[in-house]
Amino acid sequence: MEFKMVIAGFGGQGVLIAGQLIAETGLNKGKNVSWMPAYGPEMRGGAANCSVIVSDEEIGAPVVESPDVLVAMNQPSLDTFGKNVPAGGCIIYNSDLIKNAPTRDDVTLVAVSCNGIANSVESPKAVNMPILGAVLEMTKLYTMDDMKQTMEQKFGAKRAHLIESNLKAMELGRQAAIA
């Protein structure tokens, strides 16, 4: 099994953290993983993306040119990376910020109201969590319990109060992917 993903958006949308959570959960599950971030010099508002590979085998290179799944948090990310998803792949996108939705009929398209869901759980900074829930639903890569364990390890007691709202947002994102 080898799973390749690109997560892309603006800095401040939690793109890199989402990729870290997927990679760290893979490590917890005994998989080989690669996480490669790319971002501009701006802390917020500039382009940010990361490539994630989760594999049963050794990973030869961390570069993902043809992702199984693209997570696009904004229109420029969809425009830049959408064409790289091969037929049979999946594009999961933030429908709140992407007005020109993808129209490809050779990939699975999943629209998630990331900003709306994050606001509904009173955690507007957690726009990355609904999309992670959708990724879990579409890929079956991990369970929600797997992600919860990783979040508890990563955030620790210092930010434990965020875990429940993040999990709630992830579950709503997972449900949105089913719809």
Side-chain angles (χ1 to χ4, degrees), residues 11-69:
Q13 288 183 302
V15 169
L16 302 182
I17 292 288
Q20 286 176 346
L21 287 170
I22 291 169
E24 289 178 22
T25 302
L27 285 175
N28 290 343
K29 303 289 283 178
K31 303 291 184 184
N32 294 300
V33 301
S34 170
W35 173 79
M36 189 171 80
Y39 45 87
E42 308 89 349
M43 285 190 62
R44 292 194 179 271
N49 69 77
C50 63
S51 298
V52 180
I53 302 173
V54 179
S55 179
D56 290 332
E57 305 296 323
E58 287 186 21
I59 298 168
V63 177
V64 175
E65 293 179 6
S66 299
D68 301 309
V69 173

Short mmCIF file of all heavy atoms in Angstrom, two decimals, residues 11-69:
data_model
loop_
_atom_site.label_atom_id
_atom_site.label_comp_id
_atom_site.label_asym_id
_atom_site.label_seq_id
_atom_site.Cartn_x
_atom_site.Cartn_y
_atom_site.Cartn_z
N GLY A 11 -1.32 30.09 3.87
CA GLY A 11 -0.76 30.01 5.21
C GLY A 11 -1.81 30.47 6.21
O GLY A 11 -2.55 31.42 5.95
N GLY A 12 -1.93 29.79 7.32
CA GLY A 12 -2.93 30.11 8.33
C GLY A 12 -4.16 29.23 8.27
O GLY A 12 -5.01 29.27 9.16
N GLN A 13 -4.26 28.39 7.23
CA GLN A 13 -5.40 27.47 7.11
C GLN A 13 -5.12 26.11 7.73
O GLN A 13 -5.95 25.22 7.66
CB GLN A 13 -5.80 27.29 5.64
CG GLN A 13 -6.46 28.50 5.03
CD GLN A 13 -6.88 28.22 3.59
OE1 GLN A 13 -6.07 27.87 2.75
NE2 GLN A 13 -8.16 28.37 3.35
N GLY A 14 -3.96 25.92 8.30
CA GLY A 14 -3.64 24.65 8.94
C GLY A 14 -3.24 23.55 7.97
O GLY A 14 -3.32 22.37 8.29
N VAL A 15 -2.79 23.94 6.78
CA VAL A 15 -2.41 22.98 5.75
C VAL A 15 -1.26 22.09 6.23
O VAL A 15 -1.32 20.87 6.09
CB VAL A 15 -2.01 23.75 4.46
CG1 VAL A 15 -1.35 22.84 3.46
CG2 VAL A 15 -3.22 24.43 3.86
N LEU A 16 -0.23 22.71 6.80
CA LEU A 16 0.94 21.93 7.22
C LEU A 16 0.61 21.04 8.42
O LEU A 16 1.06 19.89 8.48
CB LEU A 16 2.11 22.86 7.53
CG LEU A 16 2.56 23.76 6.37
CD1 LEU A 16 3.76 24.61 6.78
CD2 LEU A 16 2.86 22.97 5.12
N ILE A 17 -0.19 21.54 9.35
CA ILE A 17 -0.60 20.73 10.51
C ILE A 17 -1.42 19.53 10.05
O ILE A 17 -1.25 18.42 10.56
CB ILE A 17 -1.41 21.58 11.52
CG1 ILE A 17 -0.52 22.63 12.17
CG2 ILE A 17 -2.09 20.71 12.56
CD1 ILE A 17 0.49 22.09 13.16
N ALA A 18 -2.32 19.74 9.08
CA ALA A 18 -3.12 18.62 8.57
C ALA A 18 -2.21 17.54 8.02
O ALA A 18 -2.39 16.35 8.30
CB ALA A 18 -4.10 19.12 7.50
N GLY A 19 -1.20 17.94 7.25
CA GLY A 19 -0.26 16.97 6.71
C GLY A 19 0.54 16.27 7.80
O GLY A 19 0.78 15.06 7.73
N GLN A 20 0.94 17.04 8.81
CA GLN A 20 1.68 16.44 9.93
C GLN A 20 0.83 15.40 10.66
O GLN A 20 1.33 14.34 11.03
CB GLN A 20 2.11 17.52 10.92
CG GLN A 20 3.25 18.36 10.43
CD GLN A 20 3.59 19.49 11.40
OE1 GLN A 20 2.82 19.81 12.31
NE2 GLN A 20 4.73 20.12 11.19
N LEU A 21 -0.44 15.71 10.86
CA LEU A 21 -1.32 14.76 11.55
C LEU A 21 -1.46 13.45 10.77
O LEU A 21 -1.45 12.36 11.35
CB LEU A 21 -2.69 15.38 11.82
CG LEU A 21 -2.73 16.45 12.91
CD1 LEU A 21 -4.08 17.17 12.91
CD2 LEU A 21 -2.45 15.84 14.28
N ILE A 22 -1.58 13.56 9.45
CA ILE A 22 -1.67 12.35 8.63
C ILE A 22 -0.36 11.56 8.70
O ILE A 22 -0.37 10.34 8.89
CB ILE A 22 -2.04 12.71 7.18
CG1 ILE A 22 -3.48 13.22 7.13
CG2 ILE A 22 -1.86 11.50 6.25
CD1 ILE A 22 -3.88 13.85 5.83
N ALA A 23 0.77 12.25 8.59
CA ALA A 23 2.06 11.58 8.64
C ALA A 23 2.32 10.96 10.02
O ALA A 23 2.74 9.79 10.11
CB ALA A 23 3.18 12.55 8.28
N GLU A 24 2.06 11.71 11.07
CA GLU A 24 2.32 11.20 12.42
C GLU A 24 1.40 10.03 12.77
O GLU A 24 1.81 9.10 13.48
CB GLU A 24 2.21 12.33 13.44
CG GLU A 24 3.37 13.30 13.32
CD GLU A 24 3.29 14.48 14.27
OE1 GLU A 24 2.60 14.40 15.30
OE2 GLU A 24 3.93 15.51 13.96
N THR A 25 0.18 10.05 12.28
CA THR A 25 -0.71 8.92 12.51
C THR A 25 -0.16 7.69 11.79
O THR A 25 -0.21 6.58 12.33
CB THR A 25 -2.15 9.24 12.05
OG1 THR A 25 -2.60 10.40 12.77
CG2 THR A 25 -3.09 8.08 12.33
N GLY A 26 0.38 7.88 10.59
CA GLY A 26 1.02 6.77 9.89
C GLY A 26 2.18 6.18 10.68
O GLY A 26 2.33 4.96 10.77
N LEU A 27 2.99 7.06 11.27
CA LEU A 27 4.09 6.58 12.12
C LEU A 27 3.54 5.76 13.28
O LEU A 27 4.09 4.70 13.61
CB LEU A 27 4.91 7.75 12.66
CG LEU A 27 5.85 8.44 11.68
CD1 LEU A 27 6.49 9.66 12.33
CD2 LEU A 27 6.91 7.48 11.19
N ASN A 28 2.49 6.25 13.90
CA ASN A 28 1.87 5.52 15.02
C ASN A 28 1.36 4.15 14.59
O ASN A 28 1.30 3.23 15.40
CB ASN A 28 0.71 6.32 15.62
CG ASN A 28 1.17 7.55 16.37
OD1 ASN A 28 2.34 7.68 16.74
ND2 ASN A 28 0.26 8.48 16.60
N LYS A 29 0.98 4.03 13.32
CA LYS A 29 0.45 2.77 12.80
C LYS A 29 1.55 1.88 12.23
O LYS A 29 1.27 0.85 11.62
CB LYS A 29 -0.61 3.05 11.72
CG LYS A 29 -1.76 3.91 12.15
CD LYS A 29 -2.70 3.22 13.11
CE LYS A 29 -3.58 2.25 12.37
NZ LYS A 29 -4.46 1.53 13.28
N GLY A 30 2.82 2.30 12.37
CA GLY A 30 3.94 1.49 11.91
C GLY A 30 4.22 1.60 10.41
O GLY A 30 4.89 0.74 9.84
N LYS A 31 3.74 2.65 9.78
CA LYS A 31 3.94 2.85 8.35
C LYS A 31 5.21 3.67 8.11
O LYS A 31 5.71 4.36 8.99
CB LYS A 31 2.75 3.59 7.72
CG LYS A 31 1.41 2.92 7.93
CD LYS A 31 1.32 1.65 7.16
CE LYS A 31 -0.07 1.03 7.31
NZ LYS A 31 -0.17 -0.26 6.66
N ASN A 32 5.70 3.62 6.91
CA ASN A 32 6.74 4.53 6.45
C ASN A 32 6.03 5.78 5.97
O ASN A 32 5.02 5.69 5.26
CB ASN A 32 7.55 3.91 5.30
CG ASN A 32 8.33 2.71 5.76
OD1 ASN A 32 9.17 2.81 6.64
ND2 ASN A 32 8.05 1.56 5.17
N VAL A 33 6.55 6.95 6.34
CA VAL A 33 5.88 8.19 5.96
C VAL A 33 6.89 9.23 5.48
O VAL A 33 8.08 9.18 5.83
CB VAL A 33 5.05 8.81 7.11
CG1 VAL A 33 3.98 7.84 7.59
CG2 VAL A 33 5.91 9.25 8.25
N SER A 34 6.38 10.14 4.69
CA SER A 34 7.14 11.30 4.26
C SER A 34 6.22 12.50 4.33
O SER A 34 5.05 12.41 3.93
CB SER A 34 7.62 11.08 2.81
OG SER A 34 8.16 12.27 2.29
N TRP A 35 6.73 13.60 4.85
CA TRP A 35 5.98 14.87 4.92
C TRP A 35 6.92 15.95 4.45
O TRP A 35 7.99 16.15 5.04
CB TRP A 35 5.52 15.13 6.35
CG TRP A 35 4.89 16.47 6.55
CD1 TRP A 35 3.62 16.83 6.22
CD2 TRP A 35 5.49 17.64 7.13
NE1 TRP A 35 3.39 18.14 6.56
CE2 TRP A 35 4.53 18.67 7.12
CE3 TRP A 35 6.74 17.92 7.66
CZ2 TRP A 35 4.78 19.95 7.62
CZ3 TRP A 35 7.00 19.19 8.15
CH2 TRP A 35 6.01 20.18 8.13
N MET A 36 6.56 16.60 3.35
CA MET A 36 7.43 17.63 2.80
C MET A 36 6.65 18.93 2.63
O MET A 36 5.77 19.03 1.77
CB MET A 36 8.01 17.20 1.46
CG MET A 36 9.09 18.14 0.97
SD MET A 36 9.97 17.51 -0.48
CE MET A 36 8.79 17.95 -1.74
N PRO A 37 6.95 19.95 3.47
CA PRO A 37 6.24 21.22 3.36
C PRO A 37 6.86 22.14 2.32
O PRO A 37 8.04 22.02 2.00
CB PRO A 37 6.41 21.82 4.77
CG PRO A 37 7.75 21.31 5.20
CD PRO A 37 7.85 19.90 4.61
N ALA A 38 6.04 23.04 1.81
CA ALA A 38 6.52 24.10 0.91
C ALA A 38 5.66 25.32 1.19
O ALA A 38 4.43 25.23 1.23
CB ALA A 38 6.38 23.67 -0.56
N TYR A 39 6.30 26.45 1.42
CA TYR A 39 5.55 27.65 1.74
C TYR A 39 6.37 28.89 1.43
O TYR A 39 7.59 28.84 1.35
CB TYR A 39 5.12 27.67 3.21
CG TYR A 39 6.21 27.28 4.17
CD1 TYR A 39 7.09 28.24 4.67
CD2 TYR A 39 6.36 25.96 4.56
CE1 TYR A 39 8.10 27.87 5.54
CE2 TYR A 39 7.38 25.59 5.44
CZ TYR A 39 8.23 26.56 5.92
OH TYR A 39 9.24 26.20 6.77
N GLY A 40 5.65 29.99 1.27
CA GLY A 40 6.31 31.26 1.01
C GLY A 40 6.81 31.88 2.30
O GLY A 40 6.62 31.32 3.39
N PRO A 41 7.42 33.04 2.22
CA PRO A 41 7.99 33.67 3.41
C PRO A 41 6.93 34.26 4.35
O PRO A 41 7.22 34.50 5.51
CB PRO A 41 8.87 34.79 2.83
CG PRO A 41 8.25 35.11 1.52
CD PRO A 41 7.69 33.81 1.01
N GLU A 42 5.70 34.44 3.88
CA GLU A 42 4.66 35.01 4.72
C GLU A 42 4.19 33.96 5.74
O GLU A 42 4.11 32.79 5.42
CB GLU A 42 3.44 35.44 3.89
CG GLU A 42 3.74 36.33 2.73
CD GLU A 42 4.06 35.56 1.44
OE1 GLU A 42 4.23 34.34 1.48
OE2 GLU A 42 4.15 36.21 0.40
N MET A 43 3.86 34.40 6.95
CA MET A 43 3.34 33.45 7.94
C MET A 43 1.87 33.16 7.68
O MET A 43 1.41 32.05 7.87
CB MET A 43 3.52 33.98 9.35
CG MET A 43 4.96 33.87 9.81
SD MET A 43 5.18 34.20 11.54
CE MET A 43 4.22 32.94 12.32
N ARG A 44 1.13 34.16 7.27
CA ARG A 44 -0.29 33.96 6.97
C ARG A 44 -0.60 34.61 5.64
O ARG A 44 -0.11 35.69 5.34
CB ARG A 44 -1.18 34.57 8.06
CG ARG A 44 -1.08 33.83 9.37
CD ARG A 44 -2.20 34.24 10.31
NE ARG A 44 -2.09 33.50 11.54
CZ ARG A 44 -2.65 32.32 11.76
NH1 ARG A 44 -3.35 31.74 10.82
NH2 ARG A 44 -2.53 31.71 12.91
N GLY A 45 -1.42 33.95 4.86
CA GLY A 45 -1.87 34.53 3.62
C GLY A 45 -1.09 34.11 2.39
O GLY A 45 -1.60 34.19 1.29
N GLY A 46 0.15 33.66 2.54
CA GLY A 46 0.93 33.20 1.40
C GLY A 46 0.59 31.76 1.06
O GLY A 46 -0.10 31.08 1.82
N ALA A 47 1.04 31.31 -0.07
CA ALA A 47 0.77 29.92 -0.49
C ALA A 47 1.49 28.95 0.44
O ALA A 47 2.62 29.20 0.87
CB ALA A 47 1.23 29.72 -1.92
N ALA A 48 0.82 27.85 0.74
CA ALA A 48 1.42 26.79 1.56
C ALA A 48 0.89 25.46 1.05
O ALA A 48 -0.28 25.35 0.67
CB ALA A 48 1.05 26.97 3.03
N ASN A 49 1.75 24.46 1.04
CA ASN A 49 1.30 23.12 0.69
C ASN A 49 2.25 22.11 1.29
O ASN A 49 3.36 22.45 1.72
CB ASN A 49 1.16 22.94 -0.83
CG ASN A 49 2.48 22.95 -1.55
OD1 ASN A 49 3.22 21.96 -1.54
ND2 ASN A 49 2.80 24.07 -2.18
N CYS A 50 1.81 20.88 1.33
CA CYS A 50 2.70 19.81 1.75
C CYS A 50 2.34 18.54 1.00
O CYS A 50 1.19 18.35 0.59
CB CYS A 50 2.65 19.59 3.26
SG CYS A 50 1.08 19.07 3.93
N SER A 51 3.35 17.74 0.80
CA SER A 51 3.18 16.43 0.19
C SER A 51 3.32 15.40 1.30
O SER A 51 4.23 15.49 2.13
CB SER A 51 4.27 16.18 -0.86
OG SER A 51 4.19 17.12 -1.90
N VAL A 52 2.42 14.42 1.28
CA VAL A 52 2.43 13.37 2.30
C VAL A 52 2.38 12.02 1.59
O VAL A 52 1.57 11.83 0.68
CB VAL A 52 1.23 13.48 3.26
CG1 VAL A 52 1.27 12.37 4.30
CG2 VAL A 52 1.19 14.85 3.93
N ILE A 53 3.25 11.13 2.00
CA ILE A 53 3.23 9.76 1.50
C ILE A 53 3.16 8.84 2.71
O ILE A 53 3.91 9.02 3.68
CB ILE A 53 4.48 9.43 0.66
CG1 ILE A 53 4.61 10.40 -0.52
CG2 ILE A 53 4.43 7.99 0.17
CD1 ILE A 53 5.91 10.26 -1.29
N VAL A 54 2.26 7.87 2.65
CA VAL A 54 2.14 6.84 3.68
C VAL A 54 2.26 5.51 2.94
O VAL A 54 1.54 5.27 1.97
CB VAL A 54 0.79 6.91 4.41
CG1 VAL A 54 0.68 5.81 5.45
CG2 VAL A 54 0.60 8.28 5.05
N SER A 55 3.20 4.66 3.39
CA SER A 55 3.48 3.45 2.64
C SER A 55 3.86 2.28 3.54
O SER A 55 4.41 2.48 4.62
CB SER A 55 4.63 3.72 1.65
OG SER A 55 4.95 2.57 0.91
N ASP A 56 3.58 1.08 3.06
CA ASP A 56 4.06 -0.12 3.72
C ASP A 56 5.52 -0.39 3.38
O ASP A 56 6.22 -1.09 4.09
CB ASP A 56 3.23 -1.34 3.30
CG ASP A 56 1.81 -1.30 3.84
OD1 ASP A 56 1.60 -0.70 4.91
OD2 ASP A 56 0.91 -1.87 3.20
N GLU A 57 5.98 0.17 2.27
CA GLU A 57 7.34 -0.04 1.78
C GLU A 57 8.18 1.22 2.05
O GLU A 57 7.65 2.26 2.39
CB GLU A 57 7.32 -0.32 0.28
CG GLU A 57 6.42 -1.48 -0.13
CD GLU A 57 6.87 -2.82 0.43
OE1 GLU A 57 8.09 -3.04 0.51
OE2 GLU A 57 6.00 -3.63 0.80
N GLU A 58 9.48 1.11 1.84
CA GLU A 58 10.33 2.29 1.94
C GLU A 58 9.93 3.30 0.88
O GLU A 58 9.50 2.93 -0.22
CB GLU A 58 11.81 1.89 1.74
CG GLU A 58 12.39 1.16 2.91
CD GLU A 58 13.88 0.91 2.76
OE1 GLU A 58 14.54 1.62 1.97
OE2 GLU A 58 14.38 0.00 3.43
N ILE A 59 10.08 4.57 1.20
CA ILE A 59 9.71 5.65 0.29
C ILE A 59 10.98 6.15 -0.38
O ILE A 59 11.92 6.58 0.28
CB ILE A 59 8.99 6.78 1.06
CG1 ILE A 59 7.71 6.23 1.67
CG2 ILE A 59 8.71 7.97 0.15
CD1 ILE A 59 7.04 7.15 2.67
N GLY A 60 10.97 6.11 -1.71
CA GLY A 60 12.15 6.49 -2.47
C GLY A 60 12.40 7.98 -2.51
O GLY A 60 13.53 8.43 -2.44
N ALA A 61 11.34 8.76 -2.66
CA ALA A 61 11.48 10.22 -2.76
C ALA A 61 10.22 10.86 -2.18
O ALA A 61 9.13 10.34 -2.34
CB ALA A 61 11.67 10.63 -4.21
N PRO A 62 10.37 12.01 -1.53
CA PRO A 62 9.21 12.65 -0.89
C PRO A 62 8.34 13.48 -1.83
O PRO A 62 7.32 14.01 -1.42
CB PRO A 62 9.86 13.55 0.17
CG PRO A 62 11.18 13.91 -0.44
CD PRO A 62 11.62 12.69 -1.21
N VAL A 63 8.73 13.58 -3.09
CA VAL A 63 8.00 14.41 -4.03
C VAL A 63 6.74 13.69 -4.51
O VAL A 63 6.79 12.52 -4.89
CB VAL A 63 8.90 14.77 -5.24
CG1 VAL A 63 8.13 15.59 -6.26
CG2 VAL A 63 10.13 15.52 -4.77
N VAL A 64 5.62 14.41 -4.49
CA VAL A 64 4.36 13.86 -4.98
C VAL A 64 3.95 14.66 -6.21
O VAL A 64 3.55 15.82 -6.09
CB VAL A 64 3.25 13.92 -3.91
CG1 VAL A 64 1.93 13.45 -4.48
CG2 VAL A 64 3.64 13.08 -2.69
N GLU A 65 4.08 14.05 -7.36
CA GLU A 65 3.70 14.73 -8.60
C GLU A 65 2.28 14.39 -9.02
O GLU A 65 1.60 15.21 -9.63
CB GLU A 65 4.69 14.39 -9.70
CG GLU A 65 6.08 14.96 -9.43
CD GLU A 65 7.08 14.61 -10.52
OE1 GLU A 65 6.68 14.01 -11.54
OE2 GLU A 65 8.25 14.95 -10.33
N SER A 66 1.83 13.17 -8.73
CA SER A 66 0.49 12.71 -9.09
C SER A 66 -0.19 12.17 -7.85
O SER A 66 -0.14 10.97 -7.57
CB SER A 66 0.56 11.62 -10.17
OG SER A 66 1.16 12.10 -11.34
N PRO A 67 -0.84 13.04 -7.07
CA PRO A 67 -1.42 12.59 -5.80
C PRO A 67 -2.68 11.75 -5.99
O PRO A 67 -3.48 11.99 -6.89
CB PRO A 67 -1.76 13.90 -5.09
CG PRO A 67 -2.00 14.87 -6.20
CD PRO A 67 -1.05 14.47 -7.29
N ASP A 68 -2.82 10.74 -5.12
CA ASP A 68 -4.07 9.98 -5.08
C ASP A 68 -5.20 10.89 -4.63
O ASP A 68 -6.33 10.77 -5.09
CB ASP A 68 -3.95 8.80 -4.10
CG ASP A 68 -2.83 7.85 -4.46
OD1 ASP A 68 -2.77 7.43 -5.64
OD2 ASP A 68 -1.99 7.55 -3.58
N VAL A 69 -4.87 11.79 -3.69
CA VAL A 69 -5.84 12.74 -3.15
C VAL A 69 -5.21 14.13 -3.14
O VAL A 69 -4.08 14.30 -2.69
CB VAL A 69 -6.28 12.36 -1.72
CG1 VAL A 69 -7.16 13.44 -1.10
CG2 VAL A 69 -7.00 11.02 -1.70
#
